[in-house]
Amino acid sequence: MKNKKIILVSFIILCVLFGILYVKNEPEYIDENLYQGLLSENLIQKAVIDDEKILLKTKEGNYAIIKDGIDLKTLLAKVPVEIKKDNTLWIFFIAIVIFIILFLILAFIRKKEFSKYPISSKKTQTQTSIANLESNIKPVISSITFDDVAGVDEVKMELSELVDFLQNSKKYKEFGVKMPKGVLMVGPPGVGKTLIAKAVAGEAGVPFFYQSGSSFVEIYVGMGAKRVRELFSKAKMMAPSIIFIDEIDAVGKARGEMSNVERDSTLNQLLTQMDGFEDNNGVIVIAATNKIELMDPALLRSGRFDRRIFLSLPDFKDRLKILEIYMKGKSNNVDLSKIAKASVGFSGAGLETLVNEAAINALRRNSTLVEENDFYAVLNKVLVGKKKILTFNDEEKKIQATYQAAKALSAYYFDIGFEKFTLIEDRFKEYEKNIRSKSELINRIKVYLSGSRAMNLIYNETYTNSQNDFLKIKELLEYMINFDMIEEANLDEYKKEVDEFLSSMKEKILKLSELLLDQEKIEYKDIKLFMQI
Ligand code: ADP
């Protein structure tokens, strides 16, 4: 709306300016005496015959004189004379072009406004918005399959069960098997959450309804909930089908102090809908987030998004596969394993960009063959541009590896379940019991202390990479105070115990850190094996 006004005002201003210019350019009529004077002084540069008058161009300005009153022959002898062309057609043509351009600009702005506020309307809001809603939630038929998703083999395996359910939902129903209603995919941006959900739909050949969490809360009050209802009813109508809600944290953020009425009503509607399909009628909701800790616990409760799939940044093996997918069809002599090694910290999306940039670099060199140097030339650019998490230098990598290795060993020793540790990430097992014990919580604190204690022990130094762990410790301590498990936060005793354990493990920590640098991750089974040696 605002833009429309701006364009209209600019148009009017432009018209006025043109008008002023036109009036200013209108020549002044002169009498014959003055004309003779100009002619005899050779001041007229050019004359243009225009119907009844003659325009006279001089250095000082333009004049006009009635044609009948002058002798054309003398004029012709002294000054170049032109006959004025008929400009009216041109003016008409230019006016039409301006009109069309304005019309297109307005149409474009209108379209943008509508796509931003898909269910907004000026007149009878409720009526028209429902009509818009209807037309806005449309499924797509995905042509993506698991072959298009590189790596993440376990994820694909887990999801193939869902594919089978979508294809044979009747069989499962008859057999009384309940399938999950909701799958929550957790992982940093660009690791392929959307891609995988599309692949599930593609493999199963079912309609795919995409909605972004933020699109529910950006619209008019009350509309978010309506939109959720509409989405589910459409998906049910077309079942078996998949609903994919990207950035679900926009709706499912834990209801805190800054509660937002609109978000709450949308969230409640989402919960109602998910609880609504008791005997799952073939609609599977896949949601994606990169902040599971911010999710409202209500959404995570059983019967809703009770399946979780964690995706992390791809490891060496997966990076190589992703690079291979995107290099397919591009002539090159690149040893992709070297590039995979050099691109630690890249997501799938980052790798796709990297390949693209390398290919552009090759073209810039006027070559159609992508070479290794093309990759190195753009590696930093992509890294910095994407603000990747991992920009450690070699020294920092060594410190971080020691830090994480100590934590992994402690977790094993203090019996805190985990899947893996990488240089930048701890993947602890989700806590499944409902009742937690003081000793388990204290053991967790000890694990979070281990990294910084190991730095003291091995490098005789304290580093800032322990920041997140100390935040976790603080949270745990506050949590324990709620249950009267501790009175004051005194970590000395725990530190002492951790130090004792780590001192006996110094060599093992260093060896394990080398393994971590080499493999980029340490899994639980690695440590088990390692401790047996
Ligand atoms: P997310 O939803 O996790 O933010 P996307 O699914 O939108 O990530 O990924 C963005 C793009 O990155 C995808 O469209 C795809 O081109 C590429 N990509 C990410 N992960 C992979 C992968 N494992 N295999 C192939 N391409 C990938």
Side-chain angles (χ1 to χ4, degrees), residues 144 146-152 156 185-198 210 244 246-247 288-290 311 314 318 321-323 325-326 347-353:
I144 290 170
F146 282 151
D147 283 343
D148 298 310
V149 184
V152 290
K156 286 192 231 172
M185 293 213 274
V186 188
V191 290
K193 298 183 289 293
T194 314
L195 187 72
I196 292 168
K198 275 190 188 151
Y210 175 95
F244 179 74
D246 203 1
E247 306 167 30
T289 178
N290 58 352
L311 288 155
D318 282 356
K321 285 187 193 158
I322 296 173
L323 285 170
I325 280 199
Y326 291 111
S347 65
L351 290 169
E352 189 186 358
T353 314

Side-chain angles (χ1 to χ4, degrees), residues 22-32 34-35 38 53-58 60-66:
Y22 185 76
V23 170
K24 255 192 118 178
N25 264 348
E26 188 70 348
E28 181 190 334
Y29 276 85
I30 52 173
D31 62 11
E32 206 179 333
L34 194 53
Y35 162 71
L38 289 172
K53 60 181 184 282
I54 298 178
L55 299 169
L56 305 165
K57 299 199 170 166
T58 74
E60 280 70 37
N62 296 339
Y63 303 101
I65 185 162
I66 304 295

